Every structure is written in structure tokens, then in C-alpha cells.
Amino acid sequence: MSTNWAGNVTYRAARLHEPRTLDELRAVVAAAPSIRALGSRHTFNAIADADEQVSVRGLPADVVLDEDAVTFNAGLTYGELAQQLDGRALHNLGSLPHITVAGAIATATHGSGTGNLATAVRALELVTSTGELVTARRGDPDFDGMVVHLGRLGVLTRLTLDTEPFYEVGQRVFEGLSWDALLEHFDAILSATYSVSVFTRWDAVDMVWLKARGTPPETLYDARPATVDRHPIIELDPVNCTAQLGRPGPWWDRLPHFRMGFTPSHGAEIQAEYVLPREHAVHAIQALRALTVPHLLVSEIRTISADALWMSTAYERDSVAFHFTFERVPIEGVLRDVEAALAPFEPRPHPGKAHLQPGTYPRADDFARLAERLDPRGAFRVTEPR
């Protein structure tokens, strides 16, 4: 039996299918009583688990570039896709270029400020539980419900993403920002550049990472610029992190926190994340600062633009995300305290990360009806992630 990336979840799946053709994939899916797609395993709950699993990474990459879009095998990682864009760029990347595009899209994984990664989807193709190949494009009636599909509609096989002209990004880290400055100027700080991450362990603001299209600013209120590269977990060697100190570089080598080709992040960890309306950010920070949060390696605060995708954590609300990286130990009690502290602020947990309580989504009933229609056998709806 296999495990997820962090080793905190052992999959019950008795078999992992790795088809090499679309027809093979369709046959596998149609025959399986219970099945889920498996990507880079960078999830921290059972969202990718079922009696059987299937990976589309064995299908041809078949990258097709158009003037302002790219179409490709959804099982590619962002790092693999970035290398084939030939002078084009994506609007955003997550912290890790190692994750599959399909997995990031399915769970509304985000970058910072410019909208979650799924907002770039222009068209998609998936195989339903009857083996049917279904396609949808932006503007189609069900499209906004199909993009962030949580693995419950089918197996995503191909995607078309918006692209834009190539751009460079400069990254600078600031240290020692006071809580007073962060709370008083929260909106200005989190909007200071194209992407902003605040790292903390709730006793102090450890770092603020600014990623700018062009040159990042050299001052940030009462913080001081770091004089060496940093890792988000401040005690760790930054050798695997993307270059800082304001040095410009290609978008794909600055927007992520971690470099391609290296082991990302801490490894033996469990991640959780909660997304709230942005207007609650300051009060949520104050609530979290009042907690004792054991086993915490680091927290990250970022913002996300509102979108129209039914099951997105940022659906119809500009949002702030509170991310937690914990040691790989039992954390149910910690999550219970964190969720209780955030409960007044309408939190929506990242569906691929550890959590206890689900969020509230205005289009959840519409999504359930869409799942019943696209998955009449219930083959993708047997596992509720926690």
C-alpha cells in the first residue's frame, strides 16, 4: 500500500492504474467500482483515496501552444509545463512547482493575490465513471462547477490554460516587521507587490516575502531587508528555495518558494489551511495570536482574489488564507483549537489539507447535483476527505 507525500496517510487503494492511452484510461475508469485520480500525492487527507487509484501521467504530454493559451496532459507538474511554454507565462504559481496541474486545479490551490490557479483554466476534458469523455469551456453552463471538482466528477485528462507574455520577478525578504505595523497596514502590506507571504509562528512576524514583477521595494514599514537568502522555516537551509535579495529571474523560478529539482519544503510534515473573507484578516490574526499552537513549524498568511468557481475557497469573496505546517504528529487537538478560533470568520478549509470541519459553499447543492449527473455510478463520490 502506498502513502501520500508526507507519509501521514496510507491509501487503502489496492491498485494504482497507470494507463498509456486514453482508451485504456476510459476502460479502467468504467470498470472500477470506486476510483480516484492520484497526482503528486501532495495532499494531507483521503481526498485522493478509493478502492482503486489512477494516474494520467503516463498519457502523452501533447503540449499544444496557441497565441494566448496552452493545452496539455493534466498530469504534468507546473514545473514540467513551465519549461515548455516557449516565451509565454502563467499568471501565477503555487509555492511548489512539483505539484500536478490537475491536482492543484481540483482543490483550488492558490498563489497569492492574483487568484487561485484554477482561474486560469479555459477548457477541460475529463473521463466520467461511465467511461464517457466530457469537455467544457469557459462560458459553458456547468464550467464553473467542473473546474474545482474535488476529484468527484471524473478523471481530468487535458487542460487548456490562459497564458500571457513572459515576465521576470524579483523577490525580497523582510525580517522583523512588528505586529503593530502588520495589523495597522495589513491591506497595504499584502498588496505591496504581485505576491506577498507573511511567515509567522504567532509569537512574532518572522518574515515577509515580496515577489514583484520587476524590482521589489527596498523598504517595508519597520521591517529590515534580509541580507541572506531565507527558508520559510527560518532554521532550515535555504539552498532549495528560489533566489531572493531582489535578484530578478524568470517567473517560473521566482513565484514558487521552492526550486524545481529539489526536495520541497520540510518533508515530514502535515499541512492545514483555512481561507476566510479578507475583511476578517486582522481579527483572525488576533484570535490566532491568543492561541498556543503546538507542533507548529511555520504559518503563512496570503491573500486570494475572489473567483466564480463553485467549490473554490475564494468563491465570490476576496480572501485571506492562513496556512499551517505542523510536525508529522497527531494534530487533531490543535486543529480543533484553530478551527474554533476561526469559526466566527466563515473559514473554508483547503480540501486537500488536514481539517476537521468542512466549509460552507453557496453552490454546494448545485455541485452535488452536477456530481450525480456526471457520476451516476457514484464511483468518485465514495470518500469524503478529512
Side-chain angles (χ1 to χ4, degrees), residues 184-222:
E184 182 178 353
H185 304 288
F186 182 85
D187 285 329
I189 290 171
L190 271 293
S191 304
T193 56
Y194 191 65
S195 173
V196 179
S197 294
V198 176
F199 290 101
T200 178
R201 282 172 285 196
W202 301 107
D203 54 346
V205 179
D206 293 334
M207 292 173 283
V208 182
W209 289 32
L210 302 184
K211 302 173 190 278
R213 290 199 182 199
T215 303
E218 297 183 358
T219 61
L220 185 70
Y221 295 97
D222 58 2

Coordinates of all heavy atoms in Angstrom, one line a residue, residues 184-222:
E184 N -1.9 47.4 11.5 CA -2.3 48.7 11.0 C -2.3 48.8 9.5 O -3.2 49.5 9.0 CB -1.4 49.8 11.7 CG -1.8 51.2 11.3 CD -1.0 52.2 12.0 OE1 -0.1 51.9 12.8 OE2 -1.1 53.4 11.6
H185 N -1.4 48.2 8.9 CA -1.2 48.4 7.4 C -1.4 47.1 6.6 O -0.8 46.9 5.6 CB 0.2 48.9 7.1 CG 0.5 50.2 7.9 ND1 0.0 51.4 7.5 CD2 1.3 50.4 8.9 CE1 0.4 52.3 8.4 NE2 1.3 51.7 9.2
F186 N -2.3 46.2 7.2 CA -2.4 44.9 6.6 C -2.7 44.9 5.1 O -2.0 44.2 4.3 CB -3.5 44.1 7.3 CG -3.7 42.7 6.8 CD1 -2.9 41.6 7.2 CD2 -4.6 42.4 5.8 CE1 -3.0 40.3 6.7 CE2 -4.7 41.1 5.2 CZ -3.9 40.1 5.7
D187 N -3.7 45.6 4.7 CA -4.1 45.7 3.3 C -2.9 46.2 2.4 O -2.6 45.7 1.3 CB -5.3 46.5 3.0 CG -6.6 45.8 3.5 OD1 -6.6 44.5 3.4 OD2 -7.6 46.4 3.9
A188 N -2.3 47.3 2.9 CA -1.2 47.8 2.1 C 0.0 46.8 2.0 O 0.6 46.7 0.9 CB -0.7 49.1 2.7
I189 N 0.3 46.1 3.1 CA 1.4 45.2 3.0 C 1.1 44.0 2.1 O 1.9 43.6 1.3 CB 1.8 44.7 4.5 CG1 2.4 45.9 5.3 CG2 2.7 43.5 4.5 CD1 2.5 45.6 6.7
L190 N -0.1 43.4 2.3 CA -0.4 42.3 1.5 C -0.7 42.6 0.0 O -0.9 41.7 -0.8 CB -1.6 41.5 2.1 CG -1.3 40.5 3.2 CD1 -0.6 39.3 2.5 CD2 -0.5 41.0 4.3
S191 N -0.8 43.9 -0.3 CA -0.9 44.3 -1.7 C 0.3 45.0 -2.2 O 0.3 45.6 -3.3 CB -2.1 45.3 -1.8 OG -3.3 44.7 -1.3
A192 N 1.4 44.9 -1.5 CA 2.6 45.7 -1.8 C 3.2 45.3 -3.1 O 3.8 46.1 -3.8 CB 3.6 45.6 -0.7
T193 N 3.2 44.0 -3.5 CA 3.7 43.5 -4.7 C 2.8 42.5 -5.3 O 1.7 42.2 -4.7 CB 5.1 42.9 -4.5 OG1 5.1 41.9 -3.5 CG2 6.1 44.0 -4.1
Y194 N 3.2 41.9 -6.4 CA 2.4 40.9 -7.1 C 2.0 39.7 -6.2 O 0.9 39.2 -6.3 CB 3.2 40.4 -8.3 CG 2.4 39.6 -9.3 CD1 1.3 40.2 -10.0 CD2 2.7 38.3 -9.6 CE1 0.5 39.5 -10.9 CE2 1.9 37.6 -10.5 CZ 0.8 38.2 -11.1 OH 0.1 37.4 -12.0
S195 N 3.0 39.3 -5.4 CA 2.7 38.2 -4.5 C 3.4 38.5 -3.1 O 4.5 38.9 -3.1 CB 3.3 36.9 -5.0 OG 3.2 35.8 -4.1
V196 N 2.6 38.3 -2.0 CA 3.1 38.6 -0.7 C 2.8 37.4 0.2 O 1.7 36.9 0.3 CB 2.5 39.9 -0.1 CG1 3.0 40.2 1.3 CG2 2.8 41.1 -1.1
S197 N 3.8 37.0 1.0 CA 3.6 35.9 2.0 C 4.2 36.4 3.3 O 5.3 36.9 3.4 CB 4.4 34.6 1.6 OG 3.8 34.1 0.5
V198 N 3.4 36.3 4.4 CA 3.8 36.6 5.7 C 4.0 35.3 6.5 O 3.1 34.5 6.6 CB 2.8 37.5 6.5 CG1 3.2 37.7 7.9 CG2 2.5 38.8 5.7
F199 N 5.2 35.1 7.0 CA 5.5 33.9 7.7 C 5.6 34.2 9.2 O 6.3 35.1 9.6 CB 6.8 33.2 7.2 CG 6.7 32.7 5.8 CD1 7.2 33.3 4.7 CD2 6.1 31.4 5.6 CE1 7.1 32.8 3.5 CE2 6.0 30.9 4.4 CZ 6.5 31.6 3.3
T200 N 5.0 33.3 10.0 CA 5.0 33.6 11.5 C 4.8 32.3 12.2 O 4.3 31.3 11.7 CB 3.8 34.5 11.8 OG1 3.8 34.7 13.2 CG2 2.5 34.0 11.4
R201 N 5.2 32.3 13.5 CA 4.8 31.2 14.4 C 4.0 31.8 15.5 O 3.9 31.2 16.6 CB 6.1 30.5 14.9 CG 6.6 29.5 13.8 CD 7.9 28.9 14.1 NE 9.0 29.8 13.9 CZ 10.3 29.5 13.8 NH1 10.6 28.2 14.0 NH2 11.2 30.4 13.6
W202 N 3.4 32.9 15.3 CA 2.4 33.6 16.1 C 3.0 34.3 17.4 O 2.3 35.0 18.0 CB 1.3 32.7 16.5 CG 0.6 32.2 15.2 CD1 0.7 30.9 14.7 CD2 -0.1 32.9 14.3 NE1 0.1 30.8 13.5 CE2 -0.5 32.1 13.2 CE3 -0.6 34.3 14.2 CZ2 -1.2 32.5 12.1 CZ3 -1.3 34.7 13.2 CH2 -1.6 33.8 12.1
D203 N 4.3 34.1 17.6 CA 4.9 34.9 18.7 C 5.5 36.2 18.1 O 5.6 37.2 18.7 CB 6.0 34.1 19.4 CG 7.1 33.5 18.5 OD1 6.8 33.5 17.2 OD2 8.1 33.1 19.0
A204 N 5.9 36.1 16.8 CA 6.5 37.3 16.1 C 6.3 37.1 14.6 O 6.0 35.9 14.2 CB 8.0 37.4 16.4
V205 N 6.4 38.1 13.9 CA 6.4 38.0 12.4 C 7.8 37.7 12.0 O 8.7 38.5 12.1 CB 5.9 39.3 11.7 CG1 5.9 39.2 10.2 CG2 4.5 39.7 12.2
D206 N 8.0 36.4 11.6 CA 9.3 36.0 11.2 C 9.9 36.7 9.9 O 11.0 37.2 9.9 CB 9.4 34.5 11.0 CG 9.1 33.7 12.3 OD1 9.4 34.3 13.4 OD2 8.7 32.6 12.2
M207 N 9.0 36.7 8.9 CA 9.5 37.2 7.6 C 8.3 37.6 6.8 O 7.2 37.1 6.9 CB 10.2 36.1 6.8 CG 11.6 35.7 7.4 SD 12.2 34.3 6.5 CE 11.2 32.9 7.1
V208 N 8.5 38.5 5.8 CA 7.6 38.9 4.8 C 8.3 38.7 3.4 O 9.3 39.3 3.2 CB 7.0 40.3 4.9 CG1 6.0 40.6 3.8 CG2 6.4 40.5 6.3
W209 N 7.8 37.9 2.6 CA 8.4 37.6 1.2 C 7.6 38.4 0.2 O 6.4 38.2 0.1 CB 8.3 36.1 0.9 CG 9.2 35.3 1.7 CD1 9.6 35.4 3.0 CD2 9.9 34.1 1.2 NE1 10.5 34.4 3.3 CE2 10.7 33.6 2.3 CE3 9.9 33.4 0.0 CZ2 11.4 32.4 2.2 CZ3 10.6 32.2 -0.1 CH2 11.4 31.7 1.0
L210 N 8.3 39.3 -0.5 CA 7.7 40.1 -1.5 C 8.2 39.6 -2.9 O 9.4 39.6 -3.1 CB 8.0 41.6 -1.4 CG 7.6 42.3 -0.1 CD1 7.9 43.8 -0.1 CD2 6.1 42.1 0.2
K211 N 7.3 39.3 -3.8 CA 7.6 38.9 -5.2 C 7.0 39.9 -6.1 O 5.8 40.1 -6.1 CB 7.1 37.5 -5.5 CG 7.6 36.4 -4.5 CD 6.8 35.1 -4.8 CE 7.1 34.0 -3.7 NZ 8.4 33.3 -3.9
A212 N 7.8 40.6 -6.8 CA 7.4 41.7 -7.7 C 7.7 41.5 -9.1 O 8.7 40.9 -9.5 CB 8.0 43.0 -7.2
R213 N 6.8 41.9 -10.0 CA 7.1 41.9 -11.4 C 8.0 43.1 -11.6 O 7.6 44.2 -11.6 CB 5.8 42.1 -12.3 CG 4.9 40.8 -12.2 CD 4.0 40.9 -13.4 NE 3.1 39.7 -13.4 CZ 2.4 39.3 -14.5 NH1 2.6 40.0 -15.7 NH2 1.6 38.3 -14.5
G214 N 9.3 42.8 -11.8 CA 10.3 43.8 -11.8 C 11.1 43.8 -10.6 O 11.4 42.8 -10.0
T215 N 11.4 45.0 -10.0 CA 12.2 45.1 -8.8 C 11.3 45.3 -7.6 O 10.5 46.2 -7.6 CB 13.2 46.3 -9.0 OG1 13.9 46.2 -10.2 CG2 14.1 46.4 -7.8
P216 N 11.5 44.5 -6.6 CA 10.7 44.7 -5.3 C 11.2 45.9 -4.5 O 12.3 46.3 -4.7 CB 11.0 43.4 -4.6 CG 12.3 42.9 -5.0 CD 12.4 43.3 -6.5
P217 N 10.3 46.4 -3.7 CA 10.7 47.6 -2.9 C 11.9 47.2 -1.9 O 12.1 46.1 -1.6 CB 9.4 47.9 -2.1 CG 8.6 46.7 -2.2 CD 8.9 46.0 -3.4
E218 N 12.6 48.3 -1.5 CA 13.7 48.1 -0.6 C 13.3 48.4 0.9 O 14.2 48.2 1.8 CB 14.9 48.9 -1.0 CG 15.4 48.6 -2.4 CD 16.6 49.4 -2.8 OE1 17.0 50.3 -2.1 OE2 17.1 49.1 -3.9
T219 N 12.1 48.9 1.1 CA 11.7 49.2 2.5 C 10.3 48.6 2.7 O 9.5 48.5 1.7 CB 11.7 50.7 2.8 OG1 10.7 51.3 1.9 CG2 13.0 51.3 2.6
L220 N 10.0 48.3 3.9 CA 8.6 47.8 4.3 C 8.4 48.2 5.7 O 8.7 47.4 6.7 CB 8.5 46.3 4.1 CG 7.2 45.7 4.3 CD1 6.2 46.1 3.2 CD2 7.2 44.1 4.4
Y221 N 7.8 49.4 5.9 CA 7.5 49.9 7.2 C 8.7 49.7 8.2 O 9.8 50.1 7.9 CB 6.2 49.2 7.7 CG 5.0 49.6 6.9 CD1 4.6 48.8 5.8 CD2 4.4 50.9 7.0 CE1 3.5 49.2 5.0 CE2 3.4 51.3 6.2 CZ 2.9 50.5 5.2 OH 1.9 50.9 4.4
D222 N 8.5 49.0 9.4 CA 9.6 48.9 10.3 C 10.4 47.6 10.2 O 11.2 47.3 11.0 CB 9.1 49.1 11.7 CG 8.0 48.0 12.1 OD1 7.7 47.2 11.3 OD2 7.5 48.1 13.3

